[in-house]
Amino acid sequence: VIGHPKYQESKRVAIFLSMPDEIQTEEIIKDIFKQGKECFIPRYKPHSNHMDMLKLSSAEDISSLALTSWNILQPSDDDSAREEALGGGGLDLIFMPGLGFDKKGNRLGRGKGYYDTYLERCMKHPSGKPYTIALAFREQICESVPVAENDVQVDEILYEDC
């Protein structure tokens, strides 16, 4: 990931805070700050498919975040001081989680459509759609995953030995 050309050229990067069953992103987040890039993380709105990408001030900033009912760290609902990526310069790159992927770039998420809806919003932003890279374990690569018409394909899937 760190040596990937799209990562190297990106200034504004969104990345998920990993759950125990996902690729661990802590070292990538540290590197984002080490390289002087801007880091954005998801804030999911419960009972909807709305998600924002909010700016972290440092890797240590993660320890100040609230734990949701889904056991995910994210900025609290009343945290209005953080920049939302689409309220500013948009994003260059989004690292995406998922449960399964196929080699055509289809992604099976957790069923709420948060990333698909967010990418639709990105496409309306002046900076356009960011490059998307899914982070996966080799075991998550399938022959095909079910897709709906509003699902947005990822540009690239990174996994061991890919």
Side-chain angles (χ1 to χ4, degrees), residues 85-91 120-130:
L86 297 180
L91 290 165
E120 291 291 334
R121 287 172 51 210
C122 289
M123 288 177 213
K124 295 176 181 137
H125 189 273
S127 67
K129 180 186 169 289

Side-chain angles (χ1 to χ4, degrees), residues 41 43 45 52 54-57 61 64-66 74-84:
I41 58 164
R43 178 173 65 191
K45 292 256 192 255
D52 290 315
L54 300 179
K55 190 172 182 179
L56 278 181
S57 58
D61 189 12
S64 72
L65 302 175
Q74 71 176 23
S76 62
D77 288 340
D78 59 3
D79 186 344
S80 58
R82 295 177 189 273
E83 176 193 340
E84 203 294 316

Side-chain angles (χ1 to χ4, degrees), residues 42-63:
R43 178 173 65 191
Y44 307 94
K45 292 256 192 255
H47 316 297
S48 78
N49 63 357
H50 186 85
M51 173 178 78
D52 290 315
M53 289 290 184
L54 300 179
K55 190 172 182 179
L56 278 181
S57 58
S58 67
E60 295 72 33
D61 189 12
I62 294 169
S63 64

Side-chain angles (χ1 to χ4, degrees), residues 6-7 14 20 22 41 107 118 128 133 136 138 141 157 159:
K6 289 289 186 184
Y7 173 73
E22 294 173 328
I41 58 164
R107 173 185 160 274
Y118 192 78
I133 297 177
R138 184 176 40 246
I141 309 302
I157 302 160
Y159 57 97

